[in-house]
Amino acid sequence: MDRKIEGYSELPIVSAALTSPSVVIYGSDLVHDDGRKIGNYLSVFLSCMDVMDRGRLVAKLAASDGQSVLGNNETDPLVEVVDIFDVRWILGLAPQ
């Protein structure tokens, strides 16, 4: 969505959530530090139960060679993984 909305000087930030009884997945087009460009319009935030749960997701999302993983699964509150479709996954830890 590259069109301006009447009455607003900036492009809107779109966010959404998919919910089920066991998981909530948040998505937003608020982009990473490299700015808005084709292919990075979406980041998905997922809250993981613990570091083991997050570690399994990191391994699956970054299974292809050369996939980007930013952050330390054991110590960082957020870890970013870019999957084979260039979707940025922000994996957090659920509050204990």
Side-chain angles (χ1 to χ4, degrees):
M1 181 162 142
D2 287 335
R3 294 179 302 208
K4 300 239 181 198
I5 295 177
E6 189 174 323
Y8 294 90
S9 61
E10 299 290 325
L11 290 174
I13 296 171
V14 179
S15 63
L18 298 173
T19 60
S20 77
S22 60
V23 68
V24 178
I25 299 175
Y26 298 96
S28 172
D29 69 348
L30 181 63
V31 297
H32 191 263
D33 294 340
D34 56 355
R36 188 171 182 187
K37 62 183 180 184
I38 299 292
N40 76 344
Y41 285 90
L42 178 71
S43 294
V44 178
F45 175 81
L46 185 61
S47 183
C48 303
M49 296 304 294
D50 53 37
V51 293
M52 289 179 60
D53 182 36
R54 185 168 66 179
R56 285 189 292 272
L57 283 171
V58 168
K60 289 177 182 179
L61 291 168
S64 298
D65 291 337
Q67 296 311 113
S68 171
V69 178
L70 298 174
N72 182 305
N73 186 50
E74 300 294 324
T75 60
D76 291 340
L78 299 174
V79 173
E80 178 183 288
V81 181
V82 180
D83 69 15
I84 62 172
F85 302 104
D86 289 329
V87 173
R88 292 180 188 272
W89 292 80
I90 311 300
L91 305 176
L93 294 175
Q96 299 299 318

